[in-house]
Amino acid sequence: MKKEFAVIGLGRFGGSIVRELMSQGAQVMAIDHSSERVDEFASIATQAVIADSTDESVLNSLGIRNFEHVIVAIGEDIQASILTTIILKEIGVQQITVKAQNDYHEKVLRKIGADFVVHPERDMGIRIANNMLSNTVLDYLELSDEHSIMELKANDAIAGYSIMDLDIRAKYGINIVGLKRGADIIVSPQASDKILLGDIMLVIGADVDINRFVKKALNG
């Protein structure tokens, strides 16, 4: 069976989620209070509905509790975002992801039970900054406030050395959990595996430790 999602809020962030989920073959109910936005997604989503997500009776009438995952992508209206999240929790939705406007908003969302909280603008800003500061950082995924996964491109400074030679775990407290080599992916590489020029290392650890590795080992 196809996975079923509901996306509440069809601005730039919510709209991009709807499009991507649909392209991956999921079933998506797109919800917004704006008739213009709903009209825009009528031919894109499985179902597009004009609704006030802060009205519990309205969400119940849409059968929102039957969706595996609900994404609250409401824009600037923090109050509506919080009220919607509370209602979704009370209704019994299994998984709720909410877009946060700021750190205070995130704290409230976590207290009221949001399963996942995202900062799309902040996270994208961090990703772009990392990419600009170093040509070895290819991608970035925040796991928590202090830990991340990064894709780092091996350069001349470390090419030809094995993971054991580099002693990355002992020196920097980070782990290489995968290597991309052309079309091949090496999952959980061995300590004896050599890193070749151009390999893409999938590194996990604390942000400060990863940044120390990038500065000292790759760009030192």
Side-chain angles (χ1 to χ4, degrees):
M1 291 180 65
K2 290 184 177 181
K3 287 193 172 183
E4 295 185 336
F5 298 85
V7 178
I8 301 173
L10 302 176
R12 185 168 56 183
F13 176 63
S16 67
I17 291 177
V18 172
R19 289 188 173 91
E20 182 60 25
L21 288 173
M22 291 299 298
S23 73
Q24 297 291 331
Q27 293 190 352
V28 184
M29 176 184 282
I31 303 167
D32 200 287
H33 61 80
S34 165
S35 59
E36 287 183 11
R37 286 180 178 171
V38 170
D39 287 344
E40 181 185 345
F41 284 88
S43 60
I44 298 170
T46 310
Q47 187 178 2
V49 181
I50 303 168
D52 176 5
S53 63
T54 63
D55 188 327
E56 185 173 351
S57 63
V58 170
L59 291 182
N60 276 319
S61 70
L62 295 175
I64 204 79
R65 74 164 59 187
N66 298 320
F67 289 87
E68 298 170 54
H69 200 144
V70 178
I71 299 94
V72 181
I74 294 170
E76 299 298 322
D77 193 340
I78 290 177
Q79 181 174 318
S81 167
I82 292 168
L83 287 173
T84 299
T85 304
I86 291 171
I87 293 168
L88 293 172
K89 286 298 292 185
E90 289 179 345
I91 288 174
V93 173
Q94 293 175 37
Q95 286 190 311
I96 305 168
T97 292
V98 192
K99 172 187 174 181
Q101 296 296 329
N102 51 50
D103 291 341
Y104 173 73
H105 187 196
E106 177 178 2
K107 284 180 184 178
V108 175
L109 291 170
R110 292 198 183 280
K111 286 192 180 217
I112 61 178
D115 299 292
F116 306 99
V117 179
V118 294
H119 293 258
E121 289 85 2
R122 183 194 70 183
D123 295 345
M124 184 56 71
I126 292 172
R127 180 173 296 184
I128 291 169
N130 273 284
N131 291 349
M132 288 191 296
L133 286 170
S134 172
N135 56 12
T136 59
V137 179
L138 301 181
D139 206 354
Y140 168 97
L141 175 64
E142 185 181 70
L143 299 176
S144 70
D145 287 342
E146 297 178 353
H147 292 79
S148 303
I149 295 177
M150 283 193 192
E151 284 187 352
L152 306 176
K153 190 173 183 179
N155 58 13
D156 292 324
I158 63 170
Y161 293 97
S162 70
I163 294 174
M164 184 188 300
D165 292 335
L166 295 170
D167 205 13
I168 290 172
R169 187 171 186 178
K171 287 181 180 177
Y172 301 99
I174 61 178
N175 289 288
I176 297 176
V177 294
L179 287 173
K180 292 182 185 178
R181 184 170 294 160
D184 297 325
I185 297 177
I186 303 168
V187 179
S188 298
Q190 302 297 310
S192 57
D193 286 342
K194 282 194 175 181
I195 295 172
L196 305 182
L197 185 64
D199 278 356
I200 297 171
M201 303 172 290
L202 192 62
V203 175
I204 188 169
D207 294 341
V208 291
D209 294 330
I210 297 176
N211 289 331
R212 197 159 49 90
F213 171 66
V214 170
K215 288 176 183 176
K216 290 190 175 181
L218 295 176
N219 297 334

